[in-house]
């Protein structure tokens, strides 16, 4: 797939993967867009993998993942995640997120920010069934009033709700 690639000023669109992982791990995506991604299947195989990837000024929209979305150790800066559904877990463990906008994102499993850094991010119309944020360096994040994050705020995030 796109494992270890360098992608700049490009659009990755309308990719459908069945019973396999869409792997962009170790890739560098700059000033690009990813839209219309559909990773379906049963079991652990249907994953979106972006471990140790670097996303800068990237728009990720209209994405459906049947399994987990794994951004472990990734760096995301000025990224927009819009209309994303993850039926498994969304993993940002040990990842660095700066100025990431989560808009209309639904995670049916656990959204884990353990050991990561979440700074100046915005969460709008976002629903996480459960959130983990142990040892998470976070601050200046905004949460609109329609955000649902399980028992969010009790496990490490400094939750500040913005009035919308």
């Amino acid at each position: 797939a796109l494992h270890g690639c360098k992608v700049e000023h490009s659009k990755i669109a309308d990719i459908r993967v069945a019973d396999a992982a869409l792997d962009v791990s170790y890739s560098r995506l700059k000033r690009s867009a990813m839209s219309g991604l559909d990773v379906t299947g049963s079991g652990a195989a249907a994953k979106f993998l972006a471990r140790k990837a670097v996303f800068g000024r990237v728009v990720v929209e209209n994405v459906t993942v049947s399994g987990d979305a794994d951004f472990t150790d990734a760096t995301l800066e000025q990224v927009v995640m819009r209309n994303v559904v993850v039926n498994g877990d969304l993993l940002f463990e040990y990842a660095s997120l700066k100025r990431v906008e989560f808009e209309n994102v639904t995670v049916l499993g656990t959204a884990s920010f353990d050991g990561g850094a979440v700074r100046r991010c915005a969460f709008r119309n976002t629903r996480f069934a459960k959130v983990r944020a142990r040892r998470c360096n976070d601050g200046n994040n905004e949460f609109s009033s329609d955000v649902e994050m399980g028992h969010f705020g009790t496990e490490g995030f400094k939750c500040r709700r913005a009035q919308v």
Side-chain angles (χ1 to χ4, degrees), residues 36-40 62-66 83-87:
L37 306 182
D38 193 7
V39 183
T40 60
N62 303 326
V63 176
T64 303
V65 181
S66 292
N83 302 329
V84 176
V85 176
V86 178
N87 291 327

Side-chain angles (χ1 to χ4, degrees), residues 46-110:
K47 291 185 178 184
F48 179 81
L49 302 175
R51 295 179 187 136
K52 295 194 176 185
V54 176
F55 284 56
R57 294 186 182 182
V58 174
V59 176
V60 179
E61 60 185 346
N62 303 326
V63 176
T64 303
V65 181
S66 292
D68 298 341
D70 189 350
F71 291 86
T72 300
D73 251 341
T75 301
L76 288 81
E77 189 165 341
Q78 292 181 324
V79 173
V80 176
M81 294 188 124
R82 184 182 301 127
N83 302 329
V84 176
V85 176
V86 178
N87 291 327
D89 296 336
L90 178 60
L91 305 173
F92 286 110
E93 295 176 350
Y94 306 100
S96 173
L97 284 72
K98 189 184 285 184
R99 292 188 179 110
V100 177
E101 294 180 30
F102 294 88
E103 197 173 309
N104 196 22
V105 175
T106 301
V107 178
L108 300 180
T110 300

Side-chain angles (χ1 to χ4, degrees), residues 22-51:
L22 178 58
D23 192 353
V24 295
S25 297
Y26 298 93
S27 297
R28 298 177 62 85
L29 287 86
K30 301 275 187 175
R31 293 181 175 94
S32 298
M34 299 177 80
S35 66
L37 306 182
D38 193 7
V39 183
T40 60
S42 58
K47 291 185 178 184
F48 179 81
L49 302 175
R51 295 179 187 136

Side-chain angles (χ1 to χ4, degrees), residues 111-130:
S112 177
F113 300 90
D114 286 353
V118 182
R119 304 296 228 164
R120 296 181 180 165
C121 294
F123 296 85
R124 296 183 200 96
N125 192 24
T126 299
R127 286 165 183 74
F128 297 153
K130 184 179 177 189

